Amino acid sequence: MHSVTKVLVVFAAVLSILLAALTTAYAVNTDRIRAGYADIEARAASAEAGRQAEQAASAQLATAQQQQINQLSNELTQARAEQSQLQAANANLRKEADSANAGRESITQRIAQLSETVKTQTTLIESYRNEVTSLREGELRFRQEKLDLEDRINDLESQNEVLVQNGRALREQVAELRLALENAQQGTSVADANEPFEHNGSLIRGRIDEITRDPSTGQLLARINIGSNDRVRNNLKLYAVDRAGSKFLANLVVVQTDLNYAIARVDTLGQSTQVSRGDVVLSRLQ
């Protein structure tokens, strides 16, 4: 065998021994590396799980902190709004306090004025009381004098009534005498005076004051504003005409006389005319 070949064989044998040693070492290291890798992978998975858990916890914490921040922001906004309201209320209260102070000062001044007014009124009331006392005494005297005057007036009215009655009786006598004189001048007897008659003297003129009906007979009656003082007597025949004095309405026959008025029976002679208040009464038609 050639020497080089021998060297190469020896070299190959050494290399084989080294390769076997390296293969054995590699096999041993491979198991160790695999176990280490598995351990590393487990640790990595555990670390990843921890990281994810930490991320979830961090996200929850961030969400909770954001919610808390929002809540605090809302509370801050409300607090600022309440602060504004409180400031406005405080301003109003200050205004009211100033107004109350001004009112208190005004009331104090008013009380002082009223005190002076009360003093003045007390003085006036005392003066009025004295004046009223004097007036009452004067009123009592006046009432007594009035009572005395009323008694005197009653006495005078009684005397006046007697005089009026006497004067009325005298006027009635004068009217009767006048009628008797007219009857004597006209040649009318007492028997003729019971029948309706016409007045032959100067014109007698009056007006109708009221139209009524006799409740017992239903006869239409007229109250006229002329009486015995105007030469009117019972059974005197009069004529009712309209207010213009141009239209005949009815005949009137006096059934009752007084000094200043008379009651007459109305006879329309079957006409459709109507006698009313204000119509004219004449002793003869013109």
Side-chain angles (χ1 to χ4, degrees):
M1 183 177 292
H2 194 275
S3 58
V4 175
T5 302
K6 290 180 181 181
V7 171
L8 289 174
V9 170
V10 172
F11 186 70
V14 173
L15 288 175
S16 296
I17 293 169
L18 291 173
L19 181 62
L22 289 172
T23 300
T24 303
Y26 177 76
V28 173
N29 289 331
T30 298
D31 292 334
R32 186 181 299 171
I33 290 170
R34 286 180 179 176
Y37 181 75
D39 183 51
I40 290 171
E41 285 184 348
R43 289 180 181 180
S46 177
E48 182 66 19
R51 186 183 64 78
Q52 291 179 357
E54 289 178 357
Q55 287 180 350
S58 178
Q60 291 178 355
L61 180 60
T63 302
Q65 288 178 349
Q66 185 64 37
Q67 291 176 353
Q68 187 175 5
I69 289 171
N70 294 335
Q71 182 178 359
L72 291 174
S73 178
N74 294 332
E75 291 178 357
L76 179 61
T77 303
Q78 293 178 358
R80 288 177 179 175
E82 291 178 357
Q83 183 181 8
S84 299
Q85 293 177 357
L86 290 174
Q87 289 176 350
N90 187 24
N92 292 330
L93 289 174
R94 289 182 181 276
K95 290 181 181 179
E96 291 177 359
D98 294 338
S99 177
N101 290 330
R104 180 176 58 81
E105 294 178 357
S106 176
I107 290 172
T108 302
Q109 295 176 358
R110 183 63 176 170
I111 289 173
Q113 293 177 357
L114 289 176
S115 298
E116 295 297 326
T117 303
V118 167
K119 292 179 181 178
T120 304
Q121 288 180 349
T122 302
T123 304
L124 290 175
I125 288 171
E126 183 66 24
S127 175
Y128 288 157
R129 184 175 63 183
N130 296 332
E131 185 177 355
V132 168
T133 301
S134 176
L135 289 174
R136 285 181 177 176
E137 293 176 354
E139 184 179 2
L140 290 175
R141 290 193 299 271
F142 172 75
R143 288 183 178 179
Q144 186 62 41
E145 293 175 357
K146 183 179 179 182
L147 290 175
D148 296 338
L149 289 175
E150 287 179 351
D151 293 338
R152 179 61 177 165
I153 289 171
N154 290 332
D155 294 339
L156 293 175
E157 286 180 349
S158 299
Q159 295 176 7
N160 182 58
E161 186 176 356
V162 173
L163 293 175
V164 169
Q165 294 296 332
N166 292 335
R168 182 182 180 87
L170 290 175
R171 286 195 299 270
E172 290 178 351
Q173 291 178 4
V174 170
E176 291 177 356
L177 291 174
R178 185 184 298 168
L179 292 176
L181 181 60
E182 290 181 358
N183 291 334
Q185 291 176 350
Q186 296 175 4
T188 304
S189 63
V190 176
D192 294 337
N194 292 327
E195 296 294 331
F197 63 92
E198 294 186 356
H199 180 71
N200 294 325
S202 59
L203 179 67
I204 300 174
R205 183 184 182 92
R207 285 189 181 274
I208 296 176
D209 287 339
E210 185 181 1
I211 298 294
T212 58
R213 284 193 179 274
D214 189 339
S216 59
T217 63
Q219 177 66 48
L220 191 64
L221 301 177
R223 177 189 171 100
I224 57 179
N225 64 352
I226 50 178
S228 57
N229 285 339
D230 304 294
R231 297 166 293 160
V232 175
R233 58 184 185 273
N234 290 349
N235 292 322
L236 177 63
K237 186 176 180 180
L238 301 172
Y239 303 94
V241 297
D242 60 2
R243 299 182 183 186
S246 59
K247 180 180 179 181
F248 171 78
L249 299 177
N251 287 336
L252 304 178
V253 177
V254 178
V255 296
Q256 180 182 348
T257 57
D258 200 317
L259 293 176
N260 299 313
Y261 72 90
I263 304 298
R265 186 173 62 251
V266 179
D267 184 5
T268 59
L269 303 178
Q271 300 182 91
S272 60
T273 57
Q274 183 177 1
V275 180
S276 60
R277 179 181 179 182
D279 289 337
V280 179
V281 175
L282 302 173
S283 61
R284 65 174 178 270
L285 296 175
Q286 299 178 346

